[in-house]
Amino acid sequence: LGLIRALGLAAAVVGLVSALFTLAVRQAWAALAGGLIVCACLLMTTAGSTGTLPDEVLAVAARLAGSALFVGGFLALWGTGSMPASASGPWQGLSAMTLLAGLVSIIGWRVGVPDLLAASLGDLAPVFLCGVGLPLAAVAATRQLVVERAEARSLAARQSATVADQAIRLQQQAELQAVAEERKRFARDIHDGIGGQLVSLLWRARYEPIPQAEMVAELEQGIADLRLVVDALDEGPVSLQVALSNFAHRARQQLDAAGVAFTWDIPLDFDLEWSDPRRILSFYRVLQESVSNVVRHARATSMSIRVTCPESREGGHLRVEIADNGIGFDPDRQVGGRGLANLRSRTSALGGTLHLQSAQGKGTTILIDLPSEAGPSRLESADPENSPTSVGST
């Protein structure tokens, strides 16, 4: 009898710890609640059999012990569906035995056979449920938790690899798109710059003799223009002052050949520097486009370009005023042609605004405001061939 009491006490303590641990890692509430009820019943029984509890308390506990075993066994059996698969079989058997032990105690108490209560409490089913079933459930729950965590880590690793692969593909697509954009921009800049110059030089050479010195100068300016394009692609050192000086020299030659007097006005202390070679090249093209428009369409006898850096604006701000005394036009009725549209598109790509004033027979004045280099810019996606024909204010 003493051995059974000691075994019951040990099973109750072990079962109580196992149940609490299992609750922390696996929410099989019904099954574990049943196990806790049986553990409490065993603790109460062993405490009463050793004289620890008063007789009054023991009398009440004895009458409730059978009910506790029945309820605990029923909950434990009912909760087997949420138990780990490796422990559900043994747990069902031990739970059913405990339920039957409680049922026998209740029947014996009801029919007035109290000795049956002691016999049922001495049954080893509750001891096995607490000392074997609950530790088994704790081990199974822990094992399943380890497996689930390993699967979660494996899934996370696979997802991470998938994300990394997608990131690499997106980066490769972005690089390919950037290369395609650079190719388009390179072709456009070659066409607008040295391409147009060579075509003009070829046209002149077919119909009139060109002095060697002038031919050499034209070719040198073409090479300088090509260097601007190459340096912009390589993002090498490009000077805004050098670009403006090259433009002024080329514009004067082009306008002189067309019989247009040219006035180039830039402050003597102009020392503004931009670090983005593509921005410099795009601004260079804006000036080139304005000269081409005058030569092709304005029928002007004079043209002036004034470049200033307004002190009231943020550092790096540029203002360009382009004026001619040509035939002018009505901006609201102007249709066809890409010269003005390209000029607007390039200005927009630089984040600037373009204001145009013109009237029939009164010439044309264009005022371009460009923000500092840190201002808004869309040079990456700018393409005059696909740009809208109205940008800024007119």
Side-chain angles (χ1 to χ4, degrees), residues 323-343:
D324 67 72
N325 65 348
I327 59 175
F329 62 94
D330 184 356
D332 295 330
R333 301 181 60 183
Q334 179 71 10
V335 294
R338 288 189 173 271
L340 185 59
N342 286 350
L343 193 62

Side-chain angles (χ1 to χ4, degrees), residues 156-170:
R158 291 195 301 271
Q159 291 177 342
S160 177
T162 302
V163 171
D165 184 60
Q166 292 176 347
I168 293 175
R169 292 182 181 179
L170 289 175

Side-chain angles (χ1 to χ4, degrees), residues 177-189:
Q177 185 175 3
V179 170
E181 290 293 335
E182 287 294 328
R183 288 176 177 173
K184 289 174 60 178
R185 190 166 62 84
F186 178 77
R188 186 176 66 247
D189 288 332

Side-chain angles (χ1 to χ4, degrees), residues 109-132:
W109 172 58
R110 285 293 184 183
V111 300
V113 187
D115 291 341
L116 290 177
L117 174 61
S120 65
L121 290 178
D123 197 289
L124 294 181
V127 176
F128 285 149
L129 180 66
C130 296
V132 178

Side-chain angles (χ1 to χ4, degrees), residues 271-334:
D271 59 355
L272 181 64
E273 280 292 346
W274 287 350
S275 60
D276 187 352
R278 291 175 296 180
R279 190 176 182 84
I280 295 173
L281 180 60
S282 189
F283 177 50
Y284 184 84
R285 296 298 186 220
V286 168
L287 298 177
Q288 280 186 320
E289 191 73 50
S290 65
V291 172
S292 297
N293 290 343
V294 170
V295 172
R296 294 172 184 171
H297 310 296
R299 301 180 192 174
T301 59
S302 66
M303 176 185 183
S304 65
I305 297 180
R306 185 184 181 206
V307 181
T308 58
C309 301
E311 295 181 358
S312 60
R313 298 300 187 95
E314 183 182 354
H317 175 83
L318 270 181
R319 173 171 290 170
V320 183
E321 184 178 350
I322 305 168
D324 67 72
N325 65 348
I327 59 175
F329 62 94
D330 184 356
D332 295 330
R333 301 181 60 183
Q334 179 71 10

Side-chain angles (χ1 to χ4, degrees), residues 28-391:
W29 299 107
L32 298 173
L36 289 174
I37 292 174
V38 176
C39 288
C41 180
L42 282 179
L43 287 173
M44 184 72 68
T45 302
T46 53
S49 63
T50 56
T52 305
L53 295 177
D55 293 340
E56 297 82 7
V57 176
L58 183 60
V60 176
R63 291 183 175 274
L64 296 178
S67 300
L69 291 179
F70 178 81
V71 173
F74 174 77
L75 289 176
L77 184 62
W78 181 47
T80 53
S82 57
M83 293 292 293
S86 57
S88 60
W91 184 265
Q92 287 176 353
L94 295 173
S95 300
M97 291 173 61
T98 304
L99 186 151
L100 291 175
L103 184 61
V104 170
S105 297
I106 294 174
I107 293 174
W109 172 58
R110 285 293 184 183
V111 300
V113 187
D115 291 341
L116 290 177
L117 174 61
S120 65
L121 290 178
D123 197 289
L124 294 181
V127 176
F128 285 149
L129 180 66
C130 296
V132 178
L134 285 171
L136 179 62
V139 172
T142 304
R143 179 181 178 184
Q144 187 172 357
L145 180 65
V146 171
V147 172
E148 290 176 354
R149 289 187 175 180
E151 292 176 350
R153 285 195 297 267
S154 177
L155 178 61
R158 291 195 301 271
Q159 291 177 342
S160 177
T162 302
V163 171
D165 184 60
Q166 292 176 347
I168 293 175
R169 292 182 181 179
L170 289 175
Q171 182 179 0
Q172 291 174 345
Q173 292 176 357
E175 290 174 353
L176 291 175
Q177 185 175 3
V179 170
E181 290 293 335
E182 287 294 328
R183 288 176 177 173
K184 289 174 60 178
R185 190 166 62 84
F186 178 77
R188 186 176 66 247
D189 288 332
I190 291 294
H191 175 270
D192 292 347
I194 190 173
Q197 183 186 10
L198 291 177
V199 170
S200 176
L201 190 62
L202 178 61
W203 182 83
R204 288 181 57 194
R206 283 177 176 175
Y207 297 99
E208 63 181 52
I210 302 177
Q212 182 178 4
E214 185 176 348
M215 178 75 76
V216 171
E218 288 284 343
L219 292 176
E220 287 177 346
Q221 289 303 314
I223 293 174
D225 186 272
L226 183 61
R227 285 199 185 102
L228 279 174
V229 176
V230 173
D231 288 342
L233 289 174
D234 291 340
E235 296 188 354
V238 177
S239 169
L240 180 59
Q241 282 82 353
V242 171
L244 291 177
S245 177
N246 289 340
F247 163 76
H249 181 74
R250 288 191 56 188
R252 192 174 300 278
Q253 288 183 330
Q254 185 178 0
L255 292 170
D256 286 347
V260 180
F262 178 54
T263 302
W264 171 252
D265 187 1
I266 188 171
L268 295 176
D269 58 348
F270 183 85
D271 59 355
L272 181 64
E273 280 292 346
W274 287 350
S275 60
D276 187 352
R278 291 175 296 180
R279 190 176 182 84
I280 295 173
L281 180 60
S282 189
F283 177 50
Y284 184 84
R285 296 298 186 220
V286 168
L287 298 177
Q288 280 186 320
E289 191 73 50
S290 65
V291 172
S292 297
N293 290 343
V294 170
V295 172
R296 294 172 184 171
H297 310 296
R299 301 180 192 174
T301 59
S302 66
M303 176 185 183
S304 65
I305 297 180
R306 185 184 181 206
V307 181
T308 58
C309 301
E311 295 181 358
S312 60
R313 298 300 187 95
E314 183 182 354
H317 175 83
L318 270 181
R319 173 171 290 170
V320 183
E321 184 178 350
I322 305 168
D324 67 72
N325 65 348
I327 59 175
F329 62 94
D330 184 356
D332 295 330
R333 301 181 60 183
Q334 179 71 10
V335 294
R338 288 189 173 271
L340 185 59
N342 286 350
L343 193 62
R344 292 180 186 275
S345 177
R346 292 189 183 277
T347 302
S348 176
L350 287 166
T353 57
L354 184 148
H355 302 267
L356 185 146
Q357 294 179 348
S358 184
Q360 293 289 346
K362 296 184 178 180
T364 301
T365 299
I366 297 175
L367 184 63
I368 298 175
D369 278 310
L370 299 177
S372 64
E373 194 171 26
S377 177
R378 296 182 291 275
L379 294 177
E380 292 291 341
S381 59
D383 187 351
E385 297 299 323
N386 299 317
S387 299
T389 57
S390 59
V391 179

